[in-house]
Amino acid sequence: VAGLSSVGLCETCRHARVVEGVRSHFLMCTRGLTEPVYPKYPVLPVRVCPGYEPAAPPRPTAEDTP
């Protein structure tokens, strides 16, 4: 979810996914699909979330190595 600095914790959460509509983008919490305590589409920005888990750092590619 990189590049969405105004969404708070969701920007770096492993459970956040961007859903693209015809004219807009929405941020979906995949935890909300299986755990009803989390909203599927949270009100942004999210400042506090007990389900927050940092996303894994991106893996280096062949282009990243000298």
Side-chain angles (χ1 to χ4, degrees), residues 10-41:
C10 297
E11 181 182 11
T12 58
C13 184
R14 65 179 289 230
H15 301 289
R17 298 289 178 268
V18 175
V19 177
E20 296 185 25
V22 176
R23 296 185 193 135
S24 57
H25 296 74
F26 301 93
L27 195 71
M28 180 176 73
C29 176
T30 58
R31 285 192 93 153
L33 299 173
T34 58
E35 300 175 55
V37 71
Y38 300 102
K40 199 161 46 166
Y41 294 98

